[in-house]
Amino acid sequence: MKVGIFGGTFNPIHYGHLRAAEEVRERLGFSKIIFIPSGNPPIKTRELADAKERYNMTELATAGNPFFEVSDIEFKRHGKSYTVQTMKELCDIYPDISLYFILGVDAFLDIPNWWQPERLIAIMDFIVISRASFRFIDLLSSPYIHADRGALERLDEGELESYSAKLRSNRDILAMRVPLLDISSTEIRRLTAAGKSIKYLLPEVVESFIIEKGFYKIES
């Protein structure tokens, strides 16, 4: 059994997140995708909704897909929350399941700045998906991947849909093109703060939840 782990702030979750997860699940034959909204950071910004509310929004957004599941593993953790800690716990919870960490090119390139990155890349296999303003060829700047320049260039040019390589830890990494919906959580928050419509950018139930709770409004 293969399961994808899709983490993020989901502040808020939108159709870009959902479509990317569905593409990965269907094309790779995953049994399910587990969404993991991040916990509250030590220093919380005004734009970041509370972890429990982001968890609730993610549950609302994924409720209609039987292959999607939401985990509360991070928002229920006390103190600082680190990705490597979460992944290790998930491996302990699912010892007989192949877990794959799904993240965008930009997030993968930032891993050297995460806590215990060397340990993280040794825990499970990775799936790196398209992100606007980033190219797969940029992966060559990562200290953790052994990849062929030509294959990454063909990915960027649309000649390949995916490309398998190896991490320095000898774990597998799959670079994968997914549809890039021009939607961002940042833009949704900006529109909400300006009192403008966010309809059709995210599920209607999440839109209603945001309006009901008054999230992302500029405090007067």
Side-chain angles (χ1 to χ4, degrees):
M1 180 182 292
K2 298 188 297 184
V3 170
I5 307 299
F6 194 6
T9 56
F10 301 126
N11 186 43
I13 191 167
H14 54 67
Y15 282 130
H17 298 127
L18 297 168
R19 185 60 216 174
E22 181 67 0
E23 283 278 330
V24 171
R25 183 201 67 78
E26 185 173 51
R27 286 165 56 183
L28 301 183
F30 282 7
S31 299
K32 62 181 175 181
I33 303 289
I34 301 176
F35 289 73
I36 304 182
S38 64
N40 289 321
I43 299 175
K44 182 180 173 184
T45 65
R46 182 183 63 189
E47 288 191 334
L48 185 65
D50 184 77
K52 186 176 189 305
E53 303 295 13
R54 290 184 283 108
Y55 171 85
N56 289 338
M57 286 191 281
T58 306
E59 276 212 312
L60 289 170
T62 58
N65 190 326
F67 300 104
F68 286 174
E69 181 179 307
V70 186
S71 170
D72 61 8
I73 191 170
E74 287 215 350
F75 96 75
K76 284 195 170 180
R77 182 182 296 145
H78 298 293
K80 293 182 180 179
S81 186
Y82 297 105
T83 300
V84 65
Q85 182 181 7
T86 298
M87 296 306 169
K88 179 62 172 65
E89 287 184 25
L90 289 170
C91 288
D92 292 340
I93 293 170
Y94 303 104
D96 301 319
I97 293 176
S98 298
L99 300 178
Y100 296 79
F101 186 18
I102 304 167
L103 70 174
V105 174
D106 54 336
F108 183 83
L109 291 174
D110 192 49
I111 285 179
N113 299 316
W114 297 9
W115 192 60
Q116 298 187 348
E118 300 280 350
R119 185 178 171 212
L120 175 62
I121 65 166
I123 287 176
M124 64 179 63
D125 298 324
F126 282 65
I127 297 171
V128 177
I129 59 176
S130 319
R131 284 284 288 169
S133 303
F134 285 85
R135 302 173 303 158
F136 285 109
I137 195 70
D138 296 334
L139 294 174
L140 291 177
S141 67
S142 169
Y144 304 124
I145 186 173
H146 300 293
D148 178 73
R149 174 179 291 273
L152 294 176
E153 288 175 343
R154 292 173 66 196
L155 261 181
D156 285 325
E157 292 166 4
E159 296 176 8
L160 291 177
E161 289 301 310
S162 62
Y163 164 65
S164 296
K166 282 289 185 181
L167 293 172
R168 198 171 69 191
S169 63
N170 208 37
R171 283 286 191 171
D172 293 327
I173 181 170
L174 179 72
M176 179 176 172
R177 292 174 60 87
V178 297
L180 288 174
L181 303 184
D182 192 16
I183 304 172
S184 76
S185 297
T186 301
E187 179 65 6
I188 290 172
R189 295 195 302 270
R190 187 193 69 79
L191 290 170
T192 303
K196 295 183 178 180
S197 172
I198 56 173
K199 192 174 291 295
Y200 311 125
L201 298 176
L202 70 181
E204 187 174 344
V205 287
V206 179
E207 176 195 8
S208 298
F209 190 79
I210 289 171
I211 293 170
E212 176 189 339
K213 296 290 186 177
F215 294 155
Y216 314 126
K217 297 277 188 176
I218 295 178
E219 296 179 7
S220 56

